[in-house]
Amino acid sequence: MNTANRLELSRLIHRFGFGPKPGEYAALLATGITTARTTVLTPPAVDAGAQAITPPTLTDLGDYPPQKSAALVDFQKARQDQILQTQLWWLDRMASADHGLQERMTWFWHGHWATALGKVQYALPMYNQNQLLRTTALGNFKDQARAMIVDSAMLFWLDGNSNTDKSPNENLAREFMELFTLGVGSYTENDVQTVAKALTGYRTVRSAGTVSFNPKQHYSQPITFLGTTGVFDAPAISDYITSLPANAQYIPHRMWYRFISSTSPLLDQSVYDAFANRDIHFLVTALASSNAMSNPLHSQVKAPVDWFVSVCRALQVTPSTLPINSNVIRYLVAMGQEPMNPPNVGGWPADEAWINISSAQTRLAFSQYILQKARFDSITAVAADDHRIDALADLLGVAQWSERTKSVLRTALNDPKQMVLIAINSPDYVVNA
Amino acid sequence: MGVSGAGAIATQLSIADIVHAGQTRPLPSGTPILVVVTLYGGNDGLNTVIPHTDPIYKASRPGIYVPDSQLIPLDSELALNGTMTGFKTLWDAGDLAIVRGVGYPTPDLSHFTSMAIWQSASPDESQRTGWIGRWLDTQSHDPMQAIGLGSVLPPLLVGENEVGSVLPLGGLVIPSGTTSYDLHKLGSKDPSDGPLQAAAATAINDLLGLSKNLTPILKMPAPQPDNLPTQAGGSFGSDSSLSQQLDIVAKLIAAQAPTKVWAVSLGGFDTHADEVKGQSTLLGTVSSAITRFIGQMHGSNRQNDVIVLVHSEFGRRVAANGTQGTDHGTAGPVFVIGNGVDGGKFYGEEPSLSKLVDGNLAVTTDFRDIYATLIEDVLKVPAEQVIPGWKTKLPLLLV
């Protein structure tokens, strides 16, 4: 077995997907790394596994009823129920999709355009944004940005909703340039204020997730920013900003940070070049084909959602079918990563931020909860000796067990559940080597 | 956060380790302890320490100025937000100092850049290490010297060679039986481990190293504040995560933990919209949680040792933004609190509301003056070792 290929495949399947389903890792390995890479990077036209997941039933719940009213109790119950349904729907999709790339990229973009339920409050606009990120996940970044700048949840999240000609609010303008498209240092404070003017006039009804444009509240005079002058509305602003050279640098840099390394810089020019036309799929392909994929330095810690979903995929667990399924979200909150509720507009941290005794403890308790529904057939089918340990590596997509972990796994050869518990809490699994 | 994800990996430790260390090598009475409280999001300083008699204040902020009925005057010009009754008590006792107009040259209005500057104490160039981390670098290795509360290591605790530790908020449950036995061995390091795998192993080891005396300590009531009357508005902070964090800190200080720096935080200060109620509630939380904590220090006989620093990454724009909020700004007030503080007075000049820079307050005090004071007078290391080239301090402490 080629160790280098095992490592590269383990990275491909975890970072450009959410880890293997049973049998997938060994099957891909057998095709050779080049074919495996193409397979991992090519989503099917229709993903039956993802399609089988029923979308949440979401309705416009309207405004909050008055404080202390009887209606408020029912409203809150319905609102929280829609949120839970939506979060579990997405986790179910991640865990069930036959091919991992589409959901992985949707997850990446969610962290990039980090929008949080904590402020948005309603599931419907978050769901709509999620679908938008999914349909544009591998398309052209300009299309994604143009849609996101007038997305209902985004407009509410960054106060674009209340940004009017007479009373501008800079929040969306600043973060759009700083965090979403250009990076800090690529614009001036004057640009922030000017762009904020041009982003005026967009209103959202967040409970319905609808967006309208009111020309009377829009600043329609010519503006000068980032080296250009003209009359702009929000999509035109987005188109101009995403055409700038800084955007061609910034997105590859962010993607490198999340997919390859949070500590070393992206130096590979071919990766930047792949994004010249803002084609996301080209960029992803360039990253996945980069030499960095086999560089042993670029280990990554699995963030809580990565870890949870990869465990579910390998052990055939559908998150929403776990007992008292709201506990899935509680555990993820305890680990610091609730889907659709990032801590701030900068998204979640990476790597060592996820390693501490608190997360180690929660991961252990979470494991015991998940394993109630796990299926172990693909390891019980193998003799209870070192072959079973190897089979577990393939099942979980681990390139190689350390001697430490092997020695602990050997103590549980006849107890598949315990073996899996050990494996998914081991440093060899918590860290994607 | 520019400095998070620096190459160093947190040395992980368990509360049991801290408690054990408190028993075997208790922090000697009289050793100063610094508690850093970070307010994330950019706290609106003008609605915290309020220039209530300056007509420009109300004129600039229709709809979001704090009305006269809701403020606590400190002198003829400045007042505290009315939710901050606890801070007023500390001010009157001479235990709370307010440093005005704090910031740094050429303010950056990005949350992430500005917080990275505050945490690294390096406005001029991007710096991977945090200011407490660099203080740790001057100390002998001890993972208990600086501890951050929460699930993520704050960048200020990252040094070049030494790194602070993190502690979770809730009580830890000790895994039992076979699970505990097997997992304990997962916590040993393997020669093939990279730094991340090694850190993951250490975290498991420390989790499983929890001893029997841990749970009782976490479950015991926090030390009672014994010197302060119950505060009006005190219930504000009782359920906040800031109170929870400070309760754990108070318990571990009472357990004689050999820890000299604690880092806690509270988020939610990015008040672009509907600021009045949200920020006032948060300020009430900050005031009551810290006042209670100071009271607990009296109860633990550490009242002379503890100094609390409260800061945010920037203040906010002077003018309201028309959505009942304020956009990102520059200078803001910093609080320094403790028995050893020469308090009940202001330091630094109040920025003028009539001499704004691009609509923002001019910075009158460099935050490195405050850090340098704390580094030398609390942490007992020459400031220049932590902030190269920085010499100026403020007479904040009764030395």
Side-chain angles (χ1 to χ4, degrees):
Chain A
M1 205 65 76
N2 182 328
T3 313
N5 282 355
R6 286 191 66 94
L7 175 68
E8 194 169 344
L9 180 61
S10 173
R11 288 179 175 183
L12 277 170
I13 206 164
H14 277 103
R15 301 182 191 190
F16 296 89
F18 283 102
K21 287 192 160 188
E24 194 179 357
Y25 186 76
L28 282 168
L29 203 59
T31 67
I33 196 70
T34 309
T35 307
R37 185 185 301 117
T38 306
T39 307
V40 167
L41 294 174
T42 314
V46 175
D47 189 312
Q51 292 255 311
I53 304 303
T54 313
T57 312
L58 302 179
T59 54
D60 179 353
L61 291 169
D63 288 342
Y64 271 64
Q67 292 283 332
K68 293 178 184 167
S69 63
L72 186 61
V73 177
D74 290 341
F75 169 87
Q76 288 290 27
K77 194 168 170 298
R79 192 181 66 84
Q80 283 157 11
D81 178 64
Q82 292 197 7
I83 287 173
L84 178 63
Q85 269 196 60
T86 306
Q87 290 173 317
L88 289 173
W89 160 77
W90 192 13
L91 291 167
D92 280 359
R93 277 190 72 100
M94 294 177 191
S96 307
D98 294 330
H99 194 275
L101 185 62
Q102 193 86 26
E103 293 306 315
R104 162 58 71 186
M105 291 307 298
T106 308
W107 174 246
F108 165 78
W109 289 121
H110 169 53
H112 181 82
W113 300 94
T115 305
L117 270 167
K119 180 167 172 180
V120 176
Q121 298 280 312
Y122 291 87
L124 185 54
M126 293 301 294
Y127 173 82
N128 291 344
Q129 184 189 85
N130 191 266
Q131 292 287 32
L132 166 60
L133 293 175
R134 181 169 292 101
T135 53
T136 56
L138 287 162
N140 193 288
F141 182 73
K142 293 173 77 83
D143 296 334
Q144 185 178 73
R146 191 188 303 119
M148 283 300 287
I149 202 169
V150 291
D151 170 74
S152 169
M154 177 62 72
L155 283 173
F156 194 84
W157 167 236
L158 294 183
D159 306 310
N161 185 47
S162 40
N163 180 21
T164 61
D165 180 10
K166 286 190 179 136
S167 54
N169 181 309
E170 294 171 9
N171 206 6
L172 177 58
R174 177 185 307 281
E175 307 304 6
F176 188 80
M177 290 190 285
E178 175 182 338
L179 297 173
F180 303 153
T181 58
L182 297 178
V184 71
S186 299
Y187 54 87
T188 65
E189 284 303 316
N190 193 43
D191 292 329
V192 171
Q193 292 172 12
T194 308
V195 169
K197 277 187 186 174
L199 297 183
T200 49
Y202 295 88
R203 305 302 300 265
T204 182
V205 178
R206 67 174 157 153
S207 66
T210 53
V211 174
S212 58
F213 179 63
N214 181 347
K216 285 183 190 158
Q217 292 181 331
H218 177 68
Y219 184 84
S220 53
Q221 300 301 306
I223 57 168
T224 298
F225 71 105
L226 291 168
T228 191
T229 300
V231 174
F232 288 86
D233 61 7
I237 284 273
S238 176
D239 282 348
Y240 177 71
I241 289 175
T242 53
S243 74
L244 295 171
N247 180 247
Q249 299 284 311
Y250 182 68
I251 298 299
H253 161 74
R254 291 310 300 164
M255 221 176 262
W256 168 272
Y257 179 91
R258 290 289 174 197
F259 288 82
I260 309 288
S261 170
S262 66
T263 50
S264 56
L266 167 57
L267 301 172
D268 185 343
Q269 187 57 41
S270 68
V271 174
Y272 291 111
D273 292 346
F275 194 60
N277 294 323
R278 310 300 189 265
D279 186 311
I280 300 165
H281 205 166
F282 281 8
L283 173 55
V284 169
T285 303
L287 276 170
S289 312
S290 146
N291 291 337
M293 286 292 288
S294 50
N295 182 338
L297 285 179
H298 299 326
S299 298
Q300 270 192 336
V301 178
K302 288 185 177 125
V305 165
D306 297 348
W307 176 87
F308 170 65
V309 174
S310 63
V311 168
C312 288
R313 287 177 70 85
L315 301 170
Q316 302 169 72
V317 175
T318 306
S320 66
T321 64
L322 282 160
I324 315 177
N325 57 21
S326 56
N327 280 337
V328 169
I329 305 301
R330 283 193 198 96
Y331 278 116
L332 288 172
V333 168
M335 292 185 79
Q337 192 170 48
E338 181 187 8
M340 300 187 167
N341 202 17
N344 59 57
V345 66
W348 284 285
D351 287 332
E352 52 267 56
W354 299 119
I355 297 181
N356 54 62
I357 49 173
S358 170
S359 60
Q361 179 212 2
T362 311
R363 191 180 293 114
L364 187 58
F366 200 3
S367 303
Q368 287 165 329
Y369 170 73
I370 302 163
L371 293 186
Q372 297 176 88
K373 285 280 181 177
R375 288 175 54 186
F376 306 104
D377 34 323
S378 50
I379 47 171
T380 49
V382 179
D385 53 27
D386 273 12
H387 290 94
R388 187 167 278 190
I389 293 175
D390 293 341
L392 190 54
D394 282 0
L395 176 69
L396 296 172
V398 170
Q400 196 174 12
W401 296 117
S402 64
E403 286 304 321
R404 162 207 39 228
T405 301
K406 267 190 204 168
S407 75
V408 187
L409 289 170
R410 283 190 192 110
T411 65
L413 285 171
N414 292 310
D415 183 350
K417 191 171 178 177
Q418 179 71 5
M419 233 182 135
V420 170
L421 181 79
I422 292 164
I424 62 181
N425 284 280
S426 71
D428 314 36
Y429 188 73
V430 169
V431 177
N432 181 232
Chain B
M1 303 289 150
V3 292
S4 72
I9 304 269
T11 304
Q12 302 292 342
L13 51 91
S14 69
I15 294 182
D17 293 332
I18 307 171
V19 170
H20 181 68
Q23 289 159 348
T24 55
R25 50 186 186 98
L27 192 71
S29 179
T31 309
I33 300 168
L34 175 64
V35 180
V36 179
V37 181
T38 305
L39 310 181
Y40 283 94
N43 177 41
D44 184 9
L46 276 181
N47 277 10
T48 306
V49 178
I50 302 157
H52 60 113
T53 50
D54 186 333
I56 304 176
Y57 168 68
K58 287 179 188 167
S60 306
R61 304 190 143 202
I64 66 154
Y65 66 80
V66 180
D68 292 343
S69 61
Q70 288 169 36
L71 40 78
I72 307 170
L74 297 176
D75 66 10
S76 60
E77 292 171 6
L78 295 171
L80 284 173
N81 186 301
T83 57
M84 305 177 81
T85 51
F87 272 20
K88 174 61 161 54
T89 310
L90 294 168
W91 170 272
D92 289 341
D95 293 343
L96 180 142
I98 299 174
V99 190
R100 301 179 292 198
V102 185
Y104 50 88
T106 326
D108 193 300
L109 271 56
S110 152
H111 290 294
F112 304 92
T113 307
S114 198
M115 189 53 91
I117 286 170
W118 274 85
Q119 299 217 353
S120 65
S122 178
D124 307 321
E125 56 188 29
S126 175
Q127 164 67 266
R128 283 156 43 99
T129 54
W131 67 289
I132 296 296
R134 292 197 298 279
W135 166 74
L136 286 171
D137 284 337
T138 70
Q139 304 290 299
S140 53
H141 174 75
D142 178 353
M144 285 164 219
Q145 299 237 43
I147 295 175
L149 273 285
S151 55
V152 175
L153 184 73
L156 83 159
L157 299 186
V158 177
E160 197 60 52
N161 302 310
E162 298 288 330
V163 186
S165 304
V166 288
L167 266 189
L169 287 182
L172 292 168
V173 181
I174 304 164
S176 58
T178 337
T179 300
S180 172
Y181 177 73
D182 286 339
L183 287 169
H184 191 69
K185 287 183 290 182
L186 276 184
S188 59
K189 288 184 190 166
D190 188 277
S192 68
D193 282 346
L196 293 174
Q197 287 93 340
T202 307
I204 295 166
N205 186 53
D206 289 332
L207 172 65
L208 277 296
L210 298 178
S211 64
K212 285 182 200 143
N213 59 6
L214 168 61
T215 310
I217 286 189
L218 282 174
K219 281 188 178 161
M220 77 184 181
Q224 284 304 305
D226 70 347
N227 67 327
L228 291 168
T230 306
Q231 297 299 321
S235 62
F236 264 128
S238 59
D239 294 314
S240 79
S241 82
L242 184 62
S243 317
Q244 290 169 27
Q245 293 169 63
L246 287 173
D247 254 8
I248 292 183
V249 173
K251 287 174 188 180
L252 291 170
I253 289 176
Q256 319 249 38
T259 302
K260 294 179 186 164
V261 179
W262 300 90
V264 299
S265 64
L266 183 65
F269 289 88
D270 194 18
T271 48
H272 285 277
D274 299 326
E275 169 168 330
V276 174
K277 183 163 176 288
Q279 192 217 10
S280 293
T281 305
L282 287 169
L283 290 175
T285 293
V286 170
S287 168
S288 60
I290 292 173
T291 307
R292 174 179 150 82
F293 174 75
I294 292 288
Q296 289 169 332
M297 292 303 98
H298 282 268
S300 313
N301 240 348
R302 286 284 182 182
Q303 71 274 20
N304 293 325
D305 300 342
V306 168
I307 301 289
V308 180
L309 165 72
V310 187
H311 77 86
S312 190
E313 71 264 37
F314 43 59
R316 306 190 75 83
R317 200 73 47 83
V318 173
N321 65 6
T323 59
Q324 304 299 302
T326 46
D327 289 322
H328 301 178
T330 53
V334 163
F335 298 98
V336 182
I337 304 162
N339 239 19
V341 172
D342 191 6
K345 55 171 99 164
F346 295 105
Y347 295 81
E349 269 183 63
E350 178 68 9
S352 164
L353 291 179
S354 57
K355 291 176 190 155
L356 303 182
V357 181
D358 298 332
N360 280 313
L361 298 172
V363 172
T364 61
T365 310
D366 195 298
F367 73 93
R368 288 168 289 183
D369 285 353
I370 302 170
Y371 283 8
T373 311
L374 299 173
I375 292 161
E376 293 203 351
D377 300 346
V378 178
L379 299 177
K380 310 292 187 194
V381 165
E384 284 195 84
Q385 289 187 23
V386 173
I387 311 176
W390 202 261
K391 294 194 174 78
T392 49
K393 299 199 298 181
L394 296 171
L396 286 165
L397 301 176
L398 301 161
V399 189

